[in-house]
């Protein structure tokens, strides 16, 4: 913290080791951004601590002296926001510059880790102050095509980071923007992600769809809600079809077993981000915990039907299948305890 912001603060503005007064000097902001990228690079997982630091700076936490004038505090917070805005602008400039250099490189996949670190640093500000990123959203969307020419691990990390960033921005989008994105390739790209990646990127894609679907300006007939229901129908039907094929999924073909596990993971994510207000509160829940025919599946009965279907797989012999089922059920319990 001292290294990043000491050049923009005076000693008298340092309280409890947290420096909160910053200048509008862009060159200093750019230097701070570079140092943050390096911290993320050498210290995986540091983005959470960085996000907390930025939130404290923006909100003026831990100032200590409560007698300070409100107007002085507002001036510092405004300066801090300008500083953070400059950092975000530099991060996107760095991202664009990086992509120009990567496009000219003969080995584009080798740059995957650097791209992941850049996006992870950007995610710090998506968590701390999402509105700072709204004007840059179109730079991020193409990455969800998942055709970035990276190694599988880097490709998955890029998709995951973009989905998490956009999830933070979703509630701040205007009606015009949310409709524009709905008419774009975004919903289809998110669906494709659930077909191609592991549980972490898939869960992030479902979360983003759910955040967009529950935007305050949209009704239940939005393209995002339709996309969620499409995923639910596809993967529920797959599990419904496969449930009677065997009692031991360790003996089925690897591709079939992988498809079953993917279906469980997606259903679990869908239920985790299911709207609590959409579920029907009942007195005798056992009457609703039944495996319904796929054509009778709806957004309202999804958590009940998914739980009942997953429970049948919990009775299978294969240990890996049982573990996958329990992880999927955790999503249901999380949303509907």
């Amino acid at each position: 913290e001292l290294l990043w912001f000491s050049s923009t603060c005076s000693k008298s503005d340092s309280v409890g080791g947290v420096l909160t007064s910053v200048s509008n000097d862009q060159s200093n902001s750019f230097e701070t951004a570079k140092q943050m990228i390096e911290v993320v690079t050498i210290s995986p997982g540091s983005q959470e601590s960085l996000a907390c630091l930025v939130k404290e700076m923006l909100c003026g936490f831990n100032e200590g002296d409560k007698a300070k004038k409100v107007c002085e505090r507002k001036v510092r917070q405004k300066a801090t926001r300008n500083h953070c805005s400059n950092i975000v602008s530099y991060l996107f400039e760095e991202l664009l510059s990086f992509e120009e250099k990567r496009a000219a490189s003969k080995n584009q996949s080798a740059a995957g880790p650097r791209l992941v670190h850049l996006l992870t640093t950007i995610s710090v500000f998506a968590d701390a102050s999402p509105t700072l990123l709204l004007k840059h959203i179109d730079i991020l969307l193409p990455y969800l095509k998942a055709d970035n020419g990276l190694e599988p691990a880097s490709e998955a990390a890029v998709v995951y980071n973009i989905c998490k960033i956009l999830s933070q921005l979703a509630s701040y989008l205007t009606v015009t923007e949310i409709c524009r994105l709905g008419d774009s390739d975004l919903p289809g790209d998110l669906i494709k992600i659930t077909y191609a990646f592991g549980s972490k990127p898939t869960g992030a894609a479902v979360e983003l769809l759910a955040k967009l679907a529950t935007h305050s300006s949209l009704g239940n007939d939005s393209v995002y809600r339709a996309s969620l229901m499409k995923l639910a129908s596809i993967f529920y039907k797959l599990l419904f079809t496969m449930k009677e094929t065997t009692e031991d999924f360790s003996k089925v073909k690897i591709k079939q077993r992988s498809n079953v596990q993917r279906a469980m993971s997606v259903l679990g994510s869908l239920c985790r981000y299911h709207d609590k207000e959409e579920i029907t509160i009942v007195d005798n829940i056992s009457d609703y915990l039944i495996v319904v025919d796929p054509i009778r599946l709806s957004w309202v009965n999804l958590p009940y039907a998914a739980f009942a279907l997953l429970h049948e797989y919990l009775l299978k012999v294969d240990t890996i299948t049982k573990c996958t089922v329990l992880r999927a059920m955790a999503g249901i319990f999380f949303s509907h305890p």
Side-chain angles (χ1 to χ4, degrees):
E1 301 166 17
L2 293 170
L3 288 175
W4 290 336
F5 302 107
S6 58
S7 61
T8 64
C9 306
S10 62
K11 290 183 179 179
S12 61
D13 288 323
S14 175
V15 180
V18 179
L19 300 174
T20 57
S21 178
V22 296
S23 75
N24 294 322
D25 184 358
Q26 288 191 349
S27 62
N28 183 73
S29 299
F30 294 168
E31 186 61 32
T32 300
K34 290 180 180 178
Q35 293 174 4
M36 292 180 73
I37 295 171
E38 293 307 311
V39 168
V40 169
T41 301
I42 64 177
S43 180
S46 60
Q47 63 268 25
E48 293 184 6
S49 298
L50 293 178
C52 288
L53 170 62
V54 175
K55 287 178 182 177
E56 288 184 357
M57 290 173 59
L58 289 170
C59 298
F61 295 161
N62 300 324
E63 290 190 338
D65 186 0
K66 295 182 179 180
K68 289 184 177 181
K69 294 180 179 179
V70 173
C71 60
E72 292 179 356
R73 190 159 57 247
K74 288 183 177 180
V75 169
R76 286 195 304 276
Q77 290 176 351
K78 182 178 180 180
T80 300
R81 185 169 182 82
N82 288 338
H83 181 58
C84 289
S85 180
N86 289 335
I87 293 174
V88 169
S89 294
Y90 172 79
L91 288 172
F92 278 96
E93 289 176 15
E94 181 69 12
L95 179 61
L96 292 173
S97 175
F98 166 81
E99 288 294 2
E100 289 178 1
K101 295 176 182 177
R102 190 167 75 96
S105 173
K106 294 181 179 180
N107 186 11
Q108 295 188 16
S109 63
R114 175 65 176 178
L115 176 57
V116 173
H117 297 147
L118 280 170
L119 294 175
T120 302
T121 308
I122 290 173
S123 73
V124 169
F125 292 91
D127 184 25
S129 184
T131 55
L132 293 176
L133 278 70
L134 287 175
K135 65 180 180 181
H136 304 288
I137 192 170
D138 286 332
I139 298 176
L140 301 174
L141 293 175
Y143 289 106
L144 292 178
K145 294 291 184 184
D147 58 358
N148 303 299
L150 306 175
E151 296 294 333
S154 294
E155 195 77 70
V158 165
V159 167
Y160 172 79
N161 272 294
I162 297 296
C163 286
K164 297 299 285 187
I165 290 171
L166 295 180
S167 289
Q168 296 288 354
L169 306 187
S171 63
Y172 297 92
L173 296 173
T174 63
V175 176
T176 301
E177 191 71 4
I178 199 81
C179 292
R180 180 181 74 86
L181 294 178
D183 292 334
S184 71
D185 293 337
L186 176 60
D189 290 340
L190 294 175
I191 288 176
K192 291 176 183 176
I193 287 170
T194 66
Y195 300 158
F197 290 92
S199 59
K200 194 174 178 180
T202 291
V206 171
E207 179 185 7
L208 176 53
L209 267 178
K211 292 284 182 66
L212 294 169
T214 55
H215 191 276
S216 58
S217 67
L218 299 179
N220 293 335
D221 57 348
S222 71
V223 64
Y224 305 110
R225 177 61 61 86
S227 298
L228 288 171
M229 198 59 223
K230 178 180 179 180
L231 285 175
S233 298
I234 289 173
F235 290 111
Y236 182 92
K237 184 177 181 179
L238 189 152
L239 291 179
F240 184 86
T241 303
M242 292 291 296
K243 66 184 177 70
E244 301 296 343
T245 58
T246 181
E247 291 301 313
D248 187 355
F249 275 88
S250 66
K251 297 179 180 179
V252 303
K253 295 180 180 179
I254 294 178
K255 185 176 181 179
Q256 286 182 314
R257 186 164 69 248
S258 177
N259 288 338
V260 166
Q261 292 171 359
R262 178 181 301 279
M264 292 175 179
S265 178
V266 173
L267 272 185
S269 294
L270 286 166
C271 292
R272 175 171 184 173
Y273 300 109
H274 187 274
D275 319 56
K276 289 182 174 63
E277 62 272 15
E278 289 290 334
I279 196 168
T280 303
I281 305 301
V282 297
D283 295 327
N284 189 2
I285 195 171
S286 61
D287 293 340
Y288 287 79
L289 292 178
I290 57 175
V291 179
V292 302
D293 189 276
I295 62 174
R296 294 178 56 207
L297 185 69
S298 68
W299 188 247
V300 174
N301 68 14
L302 174 61
Y304 294 127
F307 182 89
L309 183 56
L310 288 170
H311 185 266
E312 292 203 8
Y313 279 88
L314 192 60
L315 303 177
K316 303 293 184 182
V317 176
D318 182 31
T319 301
I320 296 179
T321 298
K322 290 176 181 286
C323 292
T324 307
V325 169
L326 291 174
R327 284 194 294 268
M329 283 183 166
I332 302 176
F333 298 148
F334 184 90
S335 182
H336 304 288

